[in-house]
Amino acid sequence: MATRRLIAVVVLVPLLAALALWAFAWPAARTAPRDLPLGVAGPATATAQLEQQFARHEGAFEIHRYADEAAARSAIENRDVYGAVVVTPEGPELLTASAASPVVAQLLRQAVTEQATARGSEVKTVDVVATPASDPRGAALSSSVLPLALAGLVAGAVVTLLGLRGFRAVAALTVAAALVGVVAAALAHSWLGALTGNWWAEAGTLGLATLAVSAAVAGLAALVGPAGIGAVAFLVMFLGNPFSGAASAPQLLPEPVGAVGQWLPPGASATLLRSVSFFDGAAATGPALTLTWWAVLGLGAVLLGNALKERSKTTASASDSAEPALTPVG
């Protein structure tokens, strides 16, 4: 038995290390635009050459055409595109949104500036939706993904290990997530100034992100036992966190990593938090529904697991009482 345990440790530790390196290092090493939504605005004759230049980067950009600068700005504010190049009589103008992704904003500045320099012109850059001055690189928002995931994992594990079941477990998970949301909003918004949207919307987002993870942990554990804690922890920490695109953008990650990351709580929470904090809730429906489904299914699993255990106990009790009593032989 001791030999088997030794072999298991020797094999599993390198395997987990390799898996962690793959999950975290591979997307980071392959960061590049992939169908990145980008707008071009101006007369068709003036933007045709610009579109051809972007088309040379095959598969890098998804071009959206707009009539003028106002339409391009509106598209950026609605999170339809990450930026836009506007052709004007004075020369090209680049519209960016560093609040959507500082990494993408920098990438667009480099790409458009290089093209303009090759033509002998200069590019005027306007940050339509900028990151807060207290957090110009958006580090606070991207760094919030891991603590929220950890808070959810801890809350779900504690509820499970304390033996809370049914509606008591649901109440504990919900209240804990709400408190995490309030505390996190107080830190990120009120203290650090890294979030600038509606305070309560941000607190709700942070709380929902925590509940999505904690409910999944407690729900799966209620159905399959303590192993459920490890399964959700693996899914959230080894896949959800590196695949979230919080530090860059989903469209900069290798396919299908970017899309998969948005189906998991860390990616959905980062996208939703950007929307409610910097874009007045634009494009918030998708990630909000993703987190809600995780929370609802998790809490439903908590109640279902409790009901199955109660039914099992009732069946066992009925079976015991149905056994015939032994009567002495006269």
Side-chain angles (χ1 to χ4, degrees), residues 161-184:
L161 297 177
L162 289 179
L164 296 179
R165 297 178 181 176
F167 288 102
R168 288 186 177 182
V170 169
L173 292 168
T174 304
V175 172
L179 292 176
V180 168
V182 169
V183 171

Side-chain angles (χ1 to χ4, degrees), residues 38 40 47-63 65 115:
L38 176 66
V40 294
T47 60
Q49 183 180 1
L50 187 62
E51 292 181 30
Q52 291 177 358
Q53 292 174 344
F54 283 116
R56 293 173 185 172
H57 304 277
E58 186 175 355
F61 299 101
E62 179 185 276
I63 301 300
R65 299 170 183 83
Q115 293 181 5

Side-chain angles (χ1 to χ4, degrees), residues 79-273:
R79 302 205 70 183
D80 295 327
V81 294
Y82 280 90
V85 182
V86 183
V87 179
T88 68
E90 294 77 20
E93 181 181 63
L94 173 63
L95 307 179
T96 63
S98 58
S101 172
V103 175
V104 171
Q106 182 180 5
L107 182 151
L108 292 178
R109 283 194 296 269
Q110 292 176 346
V112 175
T113 300
E114 288 177 0
Q115 293 181 5
T117 301
R119 297 193 304 269
S121 60
E122 296 183 358
V123 179
K124 176 185 176 183
T125 302
V126 179
D127 200 344
V128 178
V129 186
T131 53
S134 57
D135 186 29
R137 292 179 296 179
L141 188 146
S142 60
S143 299
S144 68
V145 172
L146 180 59
L148 290 176
L150 288 174
L153 291 172
V154 170
V158 169
V159 166
T160 300
L161 297 177
L162 289 179
L164 296 179
R165 297 178 181 176
F167 288 102
R168 288 186 177 182
V170 169
L173 292 168
T174 304
V175 172
L179 292 176
V180 168
V182 169
V183 171
L187 292 173
H189 184 118
S190 304
W191 180 43
L192 296 175
L195 305 179
T196 59
N198 180 275
W199 196 95
W200 288 107
E202 293 167 354
T205 297
L206 294 164
L208 181 59
T210 304
L211 182 60
V213 177
S214 63
V217 171
L220 190 58
L223 294 177
V224 304
I229 300 175
V232 176
F234 171 82
L235 187 64
V236 171
M237 300 304 296
F238 280 83
L239 298 182
N241 191 47
F243 291 2
S244 67
S248 54
Q251 292 83 357
L252 296 185
L253 301 179
E255 297 179 353
V257 166
V260 171
Q262 295 303 298
W263 301 337
L264 300 174
S269 63
T271 301
L272 180 58
L273 190 57

Side-chain angles (χ1 to χ4, degrees), residues 234-311:
F234 171 82
L235 187 64
V236 171
M237 300 304 296
F238 280 83
L239 298 182
N241 191 47
F243 291 2
S244 67
S248 54
Q251 292 83 357
L252 296 185
L253 301 179
E255 297 179 353
V257 166
V260 171
Q262 295 303 298
W263 301 337
L264 300 174
S269 63
T271 301
L272 180 58
L273 190 57
R274 287 189 189 280
S275 292
V276 301
S277 181
F278 306 127
F279 294 88
D280 293 327
T285 303
L289 288 176
T290 298
L291 293 175
T292 300
W293 274 113
W294 274 85
V296 170
L297 291 176
L299 296 178
V302 170
L303 297 177
L304 177 61
N306 180 66
L308 293 175
K309 289 178 181 178
E310 292 296 329
R311 181 179 178 181

